[in-house]
Amino acid sequence: MQDETGAGASAPAELRDLLVELNDLKRVRSAGREGTIAERLFAQGWSMLTGGADPEDVALDITATALAATRLTDLDAAFLAAAGLSEAEAATVLRAGFDEVTGALDPALRDRLRARLTPGEAPEAGFVPGFVGALAAQPRAGITCPGKPRILLEPPENHAEHCLMVAVYGVCLSPFYGADPSRVFLAAMAHHFHNAAMPDAGFTGEMLLGDHLLPIMEVATGWALGELDEAGGLRAAVERARAILPDDSTPEGRAFHAADCIDRVLQIAQHLRAATLTMGTVLDEMELVHAGPVKGFHDRVLRDMRIP
């Protein structure tokens, strides 16, 4: 856990590689499925919440699914079952994917998450609030700074993807800060409610709105919260969770703001990483032309074609 005197580290460096790899769930798509994995998990999480699931169960289930998908992508419980695997066989596959990336997680949290990867009867699904689709359709602003032109990197992420990733990061980071993972998760899932209706003009737009910013955000947030009125006590739970958002004075606030900051920067870092990718990495390290019965022939073809 973090040293509360301020003398210790502010974040767990050992989780860096996991968080970098998890970030790609905002870009992975599959045929027959609408949106990225992150976008779909965002919708699934809200459907579970409106269906009456406990926020802690949702936080653990969605995070465990995201971690398994880091390597398996959409080879998920539903596909494995459709392909004929038994529940036990599917669980073995999902846990294998989970195990490949979670060695640095807090051991107690890791065990709780791993136990969730047992396919079975799906929890009762509730309605998908309108703000879910609106956030998925709302692009993030890109890189903005007051007084300077924005920098856009295509394709942009959307707000549903960002909220999901911050929620999953928040759960992974929670043990380090001594935070309640379910509260961090719920706050992160709801922290951009205003952008369901409010276009994202970034830091620049916020500064130009000046004193109008907070009242406008409050109105737009209220529209999203109003959609939860028919979901029992969910609105009240979300409002309690969102109380951590203004600052880092609580363990949950620190876990949330660490997750939010990390995701914002890693989103840009992946563009830069792609721009500096070399053929040495692709062919030598990642073995694009990999071992198999025709590798020798493949190598000769590339050599004789002078590729790359």
Side-chain angles (χ1 to χ4, degrees):
M1 185 183 297
Q2 181 189 25
D3 182 348
E4 293 297 332
T5 65
S10 294
E14 62 273 14
L15 290 183
R16 179 190 183 282
D17 290 347
L18 170 60
L19 301 188
V20 169
E21 191 170 354
L22 260 171
N23 208 261
D24 280 337
L25 296 186
K26 295 191 291 185
R27 291 166 283 278
V28 177
R29 299 172 179 270
S30 294
R33 305 196 189 195
E34 187 70 27
T36 63
I37 290 178
E39 187 178 322
R40 285 183 267 119
L41 287 178
F42 182 71
Q44 181 182 336
W46 278 110
S47 176
M48 293 170 69
L49 288 165
T50 63
D54 186 280
E56 181 173 324
D57 289 331
V58 179
L60 295 175
D61 283 352
I62 294 295
T63 300
T65 300
L67 289 165
T70 300
R71 293 286 170 87
L72 288 168
T73 66
D74 273 323
L75 298 177
D76 57 11
F79 172 80
L80 296 174
L85 272 66
S86 68
E87 289 187 5
E89 290 169 333
T92 298
V93 172
L94 295 172
R95 288 173 176 170
F98 177 93
D99 291 345
E100 282 208 1
V101 298
T102 55
L105 274 182
D106 172 81
L109 175 63
R110 185 179 186 276
D111 289 345
R112 293 179 71 196
L113 292 169
R114 195 175 190 274
R116 295 279 166 163
L117 296 172
T118 303
E121 186 175 346
E124 183 176 348
F127 67 94
V128 178
F131 60 73
V132 170
L135 287 169
Q138 190 76 274
R140 300 270 287 160
I143 306 166
T144 69
C145 182
K148 300 178 181 179
R150 81 176 58 236
I151 300 172
L152 289 175
L153 298 171
E154 296 288 340
E157 64 178 325
N158 64 53
H159 280 80
E161 292 164 336
H162 169 66
C163 288
L164 184 282
M165 194 55 55
V166 174
V168 170
Y169 281 4
V171 172
C172 294
L173 292 166
S174 286
F176 179 80
Y177 298 101
D180 173 4
S182 64
R183 192 174 184 197
V184 177
F185 179 89
L186 194 55
M189 292 282 280
H191 81 285
H192 272 282
F193 266 5
H194 57 286
N195 285 119
M198 181 180 179
D200 189 356
F203 184 29
T204 298
E206 292 175 356
M207 293 300 98
L208 291 172
L209 283 171
D211 291 341
H212 300 299
L213 173 64
L214 293 181
I216 289 174
M217 288 178 62
E218 185 175 351
V219 169
T221 296
W223 292 336
L225 285 169
E227 296 186 46
L228 301 178
D229 286 339
E230 59 185 281
L234 181 57
R235 174 172 179 160
V238 168
E239 290 179 319
R240 286 193 299 271
R242 281 175 51 90
I244 73 170
L245 298 178
D247 54 52
D248 62 356
S249 64
T250 62
E252 289 74 24
R254 287 188 283 279
F256 165 77
H257 284 289
D260 185 46
C261 173
I262 291 167
D263 181 61
R264 275 187 283 157
V265 176
L266 286 183
Q267 173 65 23
I268 306 305
Q270 62 89 22
H271 286 282
L272 304 180
R273 188 169 71 248
T276 58
L277 187 65
T278 68
M279 271 297 176
T281 298
V282 171
L283 291 174
D284 300 333
E285 295 180 29
M286 300 302 292
E287 299 183 76
L288 179 64
V289 181
H290 50 77
V294 294
K295 186 179 187 307
F297 177 65
H298 285 169
D299 289 341
R300 293 194 301 274
V301 166
L302 293 175
R303 183 192 64 222
D304 291 346
M305 289 294 293
R306 298 190 293 279
I307 297 175

